[in-house]
Amino acid sequence: MSHVSKNPEICWKIIRLNKNWEQTCSAQFKSHCRLVPKNYQHVLALVFAINKINQDPELLPNVTLGFRIYESFFSPRKTYESSFTLLSTRYLMIPNYNCDTKDKLNLETKYIDFLAELFVFISYGSFHAMLSDKFQFPSVYRMVPNEIPQSLGLVRLMQHFQWTWIGLIASDDDSGEKFVQTLKPMLTRNSICVAFTERAPQVPSSSMAQAFREQHFKLHSSITQTKAEVIVVYGDTDSLLGLKLFLHINYQTAPIGKVWITTAQWDFTSNIALNKWTLKPFHGALSFAVHTEEVPGFRDFLRTLNPYQPQGDIFIQRFWHTVFNCSVLYSSLTIKDGRNCSGKEELASLPGSDFEMKMSGQSYSIYNGVYAVAHALHALYSSKSKKELHPFLKNVQFNNSAGDKVYFDENGESSAGYDILNWIVFPNDSFIRVKVGHMDPRAPVGQEFTINEAAIVWNSRFNQTVPRSVCTDSCRPGYARTVREGEPLCCYNCAPCPEGTISNQTDADHCDRCPEDQYPNRDQDKCIPKIMNFLSYEEPLGFVLASFALLFSLLTALVLGMFITHRDTPIVRANNRELSYVLLLSLLLCFLCSLVFIGQPGRVTCLLRQTAFGVIFSVSVSSVLAKTITVVLAFKATKPGTSMKKWLGRRLASSIVVSCSLFQVGICAVWLGTDPPFPDLDMKSEAGHILVQCNEGSNAAFYCVLGYMGFLAIVSFTVAFLARKLPDTFNEAKFITFSMLVFCSVWVSFIPTYLSTKGKYMVAVEIFSILASSAGLLGCIFIPKCYIIVLRPDLNTREQLVRKSKSGTQEL
């Protein structure tokens, strides 16, 4: 690094370990000497970044950056050798000793000492988790993000598409083993199962042909004999060459139509020189890639490249010769009977497997890494302390020319996330990659993972529908999963939900009961509100009962009107017209009170239903009892020497009616004061219905009311039965006997029927009993009298009454 004024020319120089490229491929490393044209972009990104920094008057003013490039050949030995070479002279590797001519870097002594004391390593391609250990590697900074967000992104991707049965293929090395050990528990915790785990096959050599065939057969069986449609592949470009060859071979015979999901380490589009294997198996694949953006000016820089103006670039002529298949003049890079390179060939015309004009993820990492070092050096030079670079590099933070924020986290790793790419491969093996999502650990919670499902092009085998990768077809709503013994959790049976339960999602683990006010539909996949069930005027049963109640009320009113109109006739007067009025009025109220039972129960209606019914019916039955007793006493009083006449009169009848009714009122008062009726919802008795009803509160009080009415009816029946042989012209005893027989029959039948029904039918039974018993009283007691009043007025005379009375007395 020299302290010279900047100039607009590109100042860079590539130093090789040996003078000739061919000499680097010694016998020991010959297997690693493969030209990957696509990786040439990494060098160009480095050159472009340093060129831009050297042209920036604000960043590192009066300082020009340069660099060296060494090849590691995928060998630890060569990596260590290259690292020590940085501290040595040009051709002799003796660290910290100047035994030969130095390269023209003009480093000041204190910075050479600093570099010898502490290296700073900027890694742009290694994802190895070990490098995150700052105790072992305090000087390593990585321009790639940690692998954990990538693994989490894989899990989120599976969850998004509901892929629960997948295959895993990992490189046959420590990194692959570490990846499998990390990913599998994450998948298991999210209910995703691994159908198979295989190691990627090695590129076969003559001595490994049989082993490769065995690996090939085993891997082919695992992939084709599973229901898993999604296969996750982990490894770098070199370790997965055997897998790419495997797919190439199989595509020629029986293409494997799967969804391949690759990690950021594998650039499967890279072609090794002379090994142009097909990319068609990767059509529709998804891959994670280190986040990249379009860098302004990079495409223009690429268009200026010319193999005849290398400016020290030892790679450009071999690259040009390889990708354009032409001879480079004035060099050993010739093609027999081939054309000469003009230098005007367009890099943009090359297939993506050879070169891309947009920065790849690794090139973008190199670009950001160079700028990170430049900003750290700028901060170092600007500070008073110039001993350590680490604090400045650790705290570096800037926005690059593409608008991305660049900084290192506490582990010295890049803050960049991962892009999710969809690969579209055309018949000629050209391809395009479309960004369809991202995994950014820095994003707000819930926004770390995004995917644009509509933008994805799937493998042609799936007809552009989202592939299903499951061990078992999903259990539809209304069913729940049951475990298959001895198989993974993702393999299960589907059992219908038990009665009364539902499952409203696919692959439900269990069925749930509906809330009390809802019930399952026929398919048992959702809860629907229960129907409120009560006896209403709109339904036929309620309408018919209400109509009969009004009809009987009207008929009772007509009878009452008739009795009032003919109040002075013998038949009305002879049957105690005041008691007849009370009885008719109470029967009218009985018919009307049945209407309170129809409609949705409320607080007031529940309080009035049974109490009003009990009190009114008690008045009716006590009136019948009073009439019966009055008839008996009237005929007993006609006997000579009897003292019964003093009991006759209105006071006796009124006393019987009032006293009997007040006793019932007392029972109802105690009932309302202690445990009154209230509206209640019965959600369990009938499936799909909520029975809206009145809870009687105290059942004992309710049956006391009924029991007391029954007692009055039995007394009336007994008295009337004993008086049935009295003279019958105007004698009501026979009619009362028959009416009480009807009344008691109705209410004796009522009790078992009432207890055996629910909901509105229970109410209908009570209404029917009220109407039937009231109609029995009305018909048996008053219809014969109405017949005489309307159709036989000749019988409604005092003479007829006296004649019948005398004949009756003689019989007695």
Side-chain angles (χ1 to χ4, degrees):
M1 229 167 276
S2 56
H3 294 263
V4 297
S5 299
K6 289 192 175 182
N7 58 73
E9 298 180 1
I10 299 176
C11 179
W12 65 286
K13 187 174 184 180
I14 300 177
I15 308 299
R16 294 180 298 166
L17 288 176
N18 301 291
K19 293 183 178 180
N20 297 319
W21 174 274
E22 291 78 8
Q23 293 176 349
T24 64
C25 293
S26 62
Q28 185 175 1
F29 304 106
K30 190 171 183 179
S31 62
H32 295 284
C33 291
R34 296 187 290 264
L35 178 61
V36 183
K38 196 171 184 179
N39 288 352
Y40 179 49
Q41 192 195 77
H42 301 172
V43 176
L44 297 177
L46 175 69
V47 174
F48 175 74
I50 290 180
N51 182 34
K52 284 295 185 181
I53 292 169
N54 289 336
Q55 292 176 355
D56 188 347
E58 302 296 329
L59 185 60
L60 289 175
N62 300 320
V63 175
T64 301
L65 296 183
F67 60 89
R68 295 183 188 180
I69 295 179
Y70 293 92
E71 175 60 69
S72 67
F73 300 104
F74 297 99
S75 167
R77 172 185 166 183
K78 296 300 293 183
T79 301
Y80 283 119
E81 181 180 323
S82 299
S83 301
F84 278 113
T85 305
L86 290 172
L87 302 178
S88 306
T89 52
R90 181 173 297 181
Y91 299 116
L92 296 176
M93 193 191 73
I94 308 176
N96 293 334
Y97 288 88
N98 300 328
C99 301
D100 196 3
T101 306
K102 294 189 298 182
D103 286 320
K104 297 179 180 179
L105 294 179
N106 293 330
L107 290 169
E108 294 183 9
T109 303
K110 61 180 179 181
Y111 294 115
I112 294 177
D113 295 339
F114 163 71
L115 186 61
E117 179 183 351
L118 189 62
F119 279 105
V120 172
F121 294 94
I122 306 291
S123 171
Y124 71 90
S126 176
F127 290 82
H128 203 294
M130 185 183 297
L131 295 179
S132 299
D133 187 346
K134 304 313 291 181
F135 180 78
Q136 295 187 62
F137 304 100
S139 305
V140 174
Y141 293 85
R142 295 199 290 177
M143 296 310 300
V144 294
N146 191 286
E147 276 192 321
I148 298 300
Q150 178 176 237
S151 298
L152 182 58
L154 286 168
V155 174
R156 294 287 183 86
L157 188 64
M158 306 300 161
Q159 289 178 317
H160 177 82
F161 290 109
Q162 298 181 348
W163 293 330
T164 59
W165 191 242
I166 65 169
L168 280 182
I169 300 177
S171 56
D172 193 7
D173 53 26
D174 292 342
S175 296
E177 182 65 27
K178 179 68 174 177
F179 173 77
V180 171
Q181 292 177 356
T182 301
L183 183 64
K184 271 191 172 182
M186 297 176 67
L187 295 172
T188 302
R189 286 195 298 270
N190 290 276
S191 301
I192 301 169
C193 303
V194 178
F196 65 87
T197 302
E198 295 289 349
R199 298 300 178 187
Q202 300 292 330
V203 176
S205 61
S206 57
S207 61
M208 296 174 57
Q210 180 60 31
F212 180 77
R213 280 194 294 269
E214 293 175 357
Q215 286 182 313
H216 182 118
F217 178 78
K218 185 173 182 293
L219 183 58
H220 185 270
S221 298
S222 297
I223 293 175
T224 57
Q225 295 179 8
T226 180
K227 295 178 68 175
E229 301 288 359
V230 175
I231 299 176
V232 177
V233 181
Y234 176 88
D236 56 36
T237 303
D238 189 63
S239 63
L240 295 178
L241 280 176
L243 177 61
K244 189 175 179 182
L245 174 60
F246 163 82
L247 294 173
H248 172 77
I249 294 172
N250 277 277
Y251 188 81
Q252 312 304 319
T253 55
I256 300 175
K258 299 287 185 180
V259 178
W260 298 92
I261 301 179
T262 67
T263 56
Q265 291 86 336
W266 187 22
D267 182 4
F268 57 80
T269 63
S270 293
N271 276 338
I272 306 300
L274 305 179
N275 289 332
K276 294 186 178 295
W277 297 329
T278 183
L279 297 176
K280 294 183 183 69
F282 297 100
H283 176 63
L286 297 173
S287 70
F288 284 76
V290 177
H291 173 70
T292 183
E293 292 288 350
E294 187 74 34
V295 177
F298 184 65
R299 291 177 184 266
D300 295 334
F301 166 71
L302 295 179
R303 295 188 183 99
T304 64
L305 299 179
N306 191 313
Y308 298 115
Q309 299 176 4
Q311 299 184 0
D313 184 351
I314 64 169
F315 302 115
I316 188 169
Q317 290 187 348
R318 177 171 290 274
F319 168 81
W320 218 268
H321 163 71
T322 301
V323 297
F324 290 112
N325 195 28
C326 60
S327 300
V328 180
L329 299 177
Y330 317 113
S331 73
S332 60
L333 302 173
T334 60
I335 297 177
K336 186 176 181 181
D337 300 327
R339 68 179 184 87
N340 294 328
C341 300
S342 67
K344 296 182 180 180
E345 290 82 1
E346 293 286 340
L347 291 176
S349 66
L350 293 173
S353 55
D354 286 340
F355 194 82
E356 292 184 79
M357 297 296 284
K358 181 181 178 180
M359 271 193 186
S360 66
Q362 288 185 323
S363 297
Y364 192 65
S365 297
I366 294 171
Y367 175 81
N368 287 332
V370 172
Y371 264 91
V373 173
H375 279 276
L377 288 171
H378 184 87
L380 175 64
Y381 286 142
S382 302
S383 67
K384 297 179 180 180
S385 173
K386 299 185 179 181
K387 292 184 179 181
E388 293 186 2
L389 181 62
H390 282 290
F392 299 98
L393 193 57
K394 184 185 301 183
N395 297 316
V396 71
Q397 189 173 124
F398 62 94
N399 290 329
N400 64 16
S401 59
D404 281 342
K405 190 174 184 178
V406 180
Y407 62 91
F408 296 104
D409 62 17
E410 63 276 6
N411 295 321
E413 296 169 337
S414 170
S415 58
Y418 291 91
D419 292 334
I420 302 175
L421 307 178
N422 179 218
W423 296 85
I424 304 172
V425 182
F426 299 101
N428 63 353
D429 268 342
S430 62
F431 64 86
I432 58 174
R433 52 185 177 182
V434 180
K435 181 179 177 180
V436 294
H438 77 272
M439 181 66 196
D440 186 1
R442 301 172 300 174
V445 176
Q447 301 178 18
E448 302 96 336
F449 176 85
T450 61
I451 190 76
N452 182 6
E453 186 176 327
I456 298 176
V457 174
W458 300 106
N459 189 287
S460 55
R461 174 171 168 255
F462 302 107
N463 296 321
Q464 203 47 35
T465 59
V466 177
R468 287 180 53 79
S469 188
V470 294
C471 177
T472 307
D473 289 336
S474 296
C475 296
R476 62 183 177 85
Y479 288 77
R481 298 188 297 184
T482 57
V483 178
R484 292 180 185 173
E485 188 174 353
E487 296 191 32
L489 292 176
C490 301
C491 302
Y492 46 81
N493 296 319
C494 298
C497 288
E499 185 178 355
T501 61
I502 63 114
S503 64
N504 56 5
Q505 61 184 9
T506 303
D507 288 336
D509 292 323
H510 54 82
C511 299
D512 300 309
R513 291 198 171 275
C514 292
E516 282 195 343
D517 60 342
Q518 298 179 4
Y519 71 104
N521 64 344
R522 178 184 297 179
D523 295 329
Q524 291 184 274
D525 57 1
K526 64 179 179 180
C527 294
I528 56 179
K530 290 182 178 179
I531 300 172
M532 304 288 280
N533 193 331
F534 56 88
L535 187 63
S536 66
Y537 292 101
E538 289 76 17
E539 61 181 298
L541 181 59
F543 178 77
V544 170
L545 291 175
S547 299
F548 273 107
L550 293 175
L551 178 63
F552 285 129
S553 299
L554 179 61
L555 185 59
T556 305
L558 289 175
V559 173
L560 178 60
M562 187 182 298
F563 267 59
I564 293 174
T565 303
H566 298 86
R567 61 184 177 277
D568 294 326
T569 61
I571 196 169
V572 174
R573 296 181 62 185
N575 286 279
N576 198 329
R577 62 186 176 189
E578 287 76 14
L579 276 179
S580 297
Y581 295 158
V582 172
L583 179 56
L584 285 170
L585 186 60
S586 62
L587 289 176
L588 175 63
L589 293 176
C590 284
F591 288 125
L592 292 177
C593 83
S594 64
L595 298 176
V596 181
F597 289 80
I598 304 175
Q600 183 170 352
R603 183 175 179 81
V604 175
T605 54
C606 285
L607 290 173
L608 289 177
R609 276 185 181 184
Q610 306 297 355
T611 53
F613 153 70
V615 171
I616 294 171
F617 251 79
S618 295
V619 173
S620 300
V621 178
S622 60
S623 298
V624 173
L625 178 61
K627 287 176 72 67
T628 306
I629 294 175
T630 301
V631 170
V632 172
L633 291 178
F635 280 95
K636 294 291 184 182
T638 60
K639 292 182 178 182
T642 182
S643 59
M644 292 292 180
K645 291 183 178 180
K646 63 180 180 180
W647 296 101
L648 295 175
R650 296 179 181 178
R651 292 180 59 186
L652 175 63
S654 300
S655 299
I656 293 172
V657 173
V658 171
S659 60
C660 292
S661 301
L662 284 177
F663 191 82
Q664 184 73 288
V665 170
I667 295 174
C668 292
V670 172
W671 183 8
L672 295 179
T674 55
D675 194 2
F678 58 91
D680 191 20
L681 300 178
D682 182 358
M683 302 184 183
K684 298 179 180 179
S685 295
E686 290 188 17
H689 292 84
I690 299 176
L691 302 184
V692 185
Q693 59 190 9
C694 288
N695 189 311
E696 307 305 346
S698 173
N699 288 324
F702 173 63
Y703 288 112
C704 282
V705 170
L706 291 181
Y708 180 68
M709 286 193 303
F711 169 75
L712 292 178
I714 291 173
V715 172
S716 298
F717 173 75
T718 303
V719 174
F721 179 79
L722 294 175
R724 68 188 184 283
K725 293 184 178 181
L726 293 175
D728 59 356
T729 302
F730 303 116
N731 180 16
E732 293 183 300
K734 292 181 180 179
F735 302 127
I736 292 174
T737 301
F738 188 68
S739 67
M740 286 296 101
L741 182 62
V742 172
F743 185 91
C744 292
S745 299
V746 169
W747 287 105
V748 167
S749 303
F750 161 78
I751 293 176
T753 308
Y754 183 82
L755 294 176
S756 63
T757 54
K758 293 286 185 182
K760 62 183 180 181
Y761 299 106
M762 177 186 286
V763 176
V765 166
E766 187 167 0
I767 294 175
F768 175 79
S769 300
I770 293 173
L771 296 179
S773 57
S774 300
L777 292 177
L778 178 65
C780 294
I781 296 176
F782 292 102
I783 294 302
K785 297 177 178 59
C786 292
Y787 170 78
I788 293 174
I789 293 172
V790 176
L791 299 179
R792 296 295 302 272
D794 56 301
L795 300 178
N796 190 10
T797 62
R798 183 177 180 81
E799 291 76 14
Q800 184 68 22
L801 175 63
V802 172
R803 184 178 61 82
K804 290 292 183 181
S805 298
K806 288 180 178 179
S807 62
T809 303
Q810 292 173 358
E811 292 176 3
L812 293 172

